Amino acid sequence: MIIGNKARGLQILQEHGFNVPEFFVLPPSYAGKPKLIEDALKKQLDPSTYYAVRSSGTKEDMPEFSFAGQYHTGDRK
């Protein structure tokens, strides 16, 4: 899978021994498909722990687009 610059940066830091939190990357095709995302979370992370979600749009780093502040990460239920 091709990954974006943010995920690649985390991967490089991890490869060089930096203490990077556990992470995984979902492909853009998962966008808008909550069941696929939920299944991936259950498979990749311990559901009893807290985690953060970093959403990255495929066009968000382009000068003509800005997605800042459009999403809210709520508390785990």
Side-chain angles (χ1 to χ4, degrees):
M1 170 178 31
I2 297 172
I3 61 174
N5 289 333
K6 291 176 184 84
R8 180 66 182 134
L10 289 172
Q11 186 180 46
I12 290 168
L13 289 170
Q14 192 175 54
E15 289 170 356
H16 286 88
F18 286 87
N19 185 14
V20 177
E22 183 179 353
F23 72 95
F24 69 101
V25 178
L26 297 175
S29 61
Y30 279 44
K33 298 177 182 170
K35 179 68 173 138
L36 287 176
I37 295 169
E38 184 178 332
D39 290 346
L41 282 170
K42 287 178 182 175
K43 181 179 177 183
Q44 297 290 331
L45 300 176
D46 179 353
S48 68
T49 63
Y50 289 98
Y51 54 87
V53 175
R54 172 61 173 100
S55 176
S56 294
T58 56
K59 296 182 179 180
E60 77 173 18
D61 293 329
M62 299 175 72
E64 64 270 17
F65 294 101
S66 175
F67 297 98
Q70 288 189 359
Y71 300 102
H72 170 75
T73 302
D75 294 331
R76 178 175 58 110
K77 295 180 181 179

